[in-house]
Amino acid sequence: MLIHEYLPAINRLPIDKSLTKNDLITNSFQIAAENDLAMYYAPHNDYVNKHAIIILVGITPGWLQMKTAYEAFLSYKQMSLMKKLKLTKQSASFIGSMRVNLITMLNEIGLQTALGLNSVSDLFADKRNLLHTTSLLKYPVFYKDQNYTGHNPSMQHSKLLHPYLFSIFPEELQQLPDSSLIIPLGKKVDEIIRELASANIIKQPCLSGFPHPSGANGHRIKQLAQEKARLMEQLAVWSANLLIENSRD
């Protein structure tokens, strides 16, 4: 975990105001840079829920997630470091309109039914033990100081990003059950996960074809409608296999 390297700088942050890019997009938190790309530390993806059965995967944490993670971490007092990291992850993961859209879209394909829940929103509340959230790129990446989308420049061809895709991310997934369901958010994440699966680098089944839930994806509702039947079929197969596996335990 990188948290120990950045704790001194975190402890120097102001706790009486909303944090800005001037506070966080600094050399104190920069992990590495390559041309116009820069990666910065954020304290929410160091925690791994090793017993999760649903794995939601984005490209990289954005600015809102980063800001929320730092403010949440600073707000937690008088508890162990791991507890703080766990609660920080719960506060920051896919925060904002993306989480709202994500819950709506996953409810639409019936994930809540497959898990025996009233709503997928339960995964972000009292059923959080079933969920692990992460990103291909574990820490926030910015391109020309804007949220990195994974397209320009290419993740696969970046010396900075390549190890996160093909080493660090798979190592994280190896800590979770092989029966857990990976849900990639958007085509780019889907593409990388299918590449990793084809190379037998990751073992978990993947719900392929789920649209990116960002509000910037104005076609997400149409895309979900087009993919809904296939997504529900994949979900049914995974759910049936999970029941079979659990019956053997």
Side-chain angles (χ1 to χ4, degrees):
M1 292 192 301
L2 287 182
I3 181 67
H4 298 287
E5 182 176 341
Y6 293 97
L7 263 179
I10 293 173
N11 290 332
R12 290 194 295 269
L13 289 169
I15 59 174
D16 57 349
K17 73 177 187 69
S18 178
L19 297 175
T20 69
K21 288 186 176 181
N22 288 335
D23 295 313
L24 302 178
I25 308 299
T26 67
N27 290 337
S28 296
F29 297 111
Q30 187 179 100
I31 295 172
E34 177 188 55
N35 300 323
D36 291 321
L37 282 174
M39 177 181 286
Y40 295 86
Y41 180 74
H44 66 297
N45 273 348
D46 273 346
Y47 177 80
V48 178
N49 178 10
K50 298 180 180 180
H51 304 291
I53 62 173
I54 298 296
I55 309 169
L56 297 177
V57 184
I59 293 174
T60 181
W63 162 246
L64 180 58
Q65 282 181 271
M66 182 181 184
K67 167 184 162 67
T68 303
Y70 275 99
E71 292 178 346
F73 186 86
L74 289 168
S75 73
Y76 298 126
K77 310 290 185 181
Q78 307 300 321
M79 62 181 66
S80 70
L81 179 59
M82 287 305 298
K83 180 68 172 179
K84 290 176 72 172
L85 290 173
K86 180 179 180 180
L87 292 176
T88 296
K89 188 177 198 69
Q90 292 177 7
S91 296
S93 57
F94 302 114
I95 194 66
S97 62
M98 187 180 295
R99 184 185 289 189
V100 175
N101 294 340
L102 183 56
I103 289 169
T104 299
M105 293 165 69
L106 289 172
N107 278 335
E108 181 71 19
I109 64 171
L111 179 61
Q112 77 284 13
T113 302
L115 296 174
L117 306 176
N118 292 322
S119 169
V120 172
S121 61
D122 295 343
L123 291 177
F124 292 92
D126 60 342
K127 295 298 181 180
R128 186 74 196 214
N129 62 301
L130 302 177
L131 176 66
H132 180 60
T133 59
T134 189
S135 301
L136 292 176
L137 306 172
K138 193 177 185 76
Y139 303 108
V141 176
F142 298 91
Y143 176 66
K144 295 183 178 180
D145 297 327
Q146 301 299 314
N147 288 344
Y148 175 59
T149 64
H151 295 283
N152 182 26
S154 165
M155 289 189 289
Q156 295 96 315
H157 299 129
S158 165
K159 290 182 180 180
L160 168 61
L161 304 181
H162 190 277
Y164 283 86
L165 299 177
F166 297 102
S167 179
I168 295 172
F169 174 67
E171 287 171 3
E172 180 178 340
L173 290 195
Q174 287 167 11
Q175 300 178 59
L176 284 94
D178 289 349
S179 57
S180 300
L181 179 66
I182 300 173
I183 305 180
L185 306 185
K187 291 182 179 180
K188 195 63 182 177
V189 183
D190 202 318
E191 174 188 324
I192 296 295
I193 288 178
R194 283 190 282 109
E195 183 175 346
L196 291 169
S198 296
N200 205 33
I201 296 174
I202 59 176
K203 307 293 185 183
Q204 291 92 347
C206 171
L207 189 70
S208 184
F210 190 80
H212 200 287
S214 169
N217 179 12
H219 301 291
R220 67 184 183 279
I221 296 175
K222 180 179 179 181
Q223 291 168 347
L224 185 65
Q226 292 172 339
E227 295 287 340
K228 183 176 178 179
R230 191 168 70 89
L231 289 166
M232 292 181 72
E233 183 178 349
Q234 293 178 72
L235 193 54
V237 170
W238 170 76
S239 181
N241 288 338
L242 188 66
L243 284 173
I244 292 171
E245 181 173 315
N246 289 340
S247 69
R248 293 171 179 165
D249 293 341

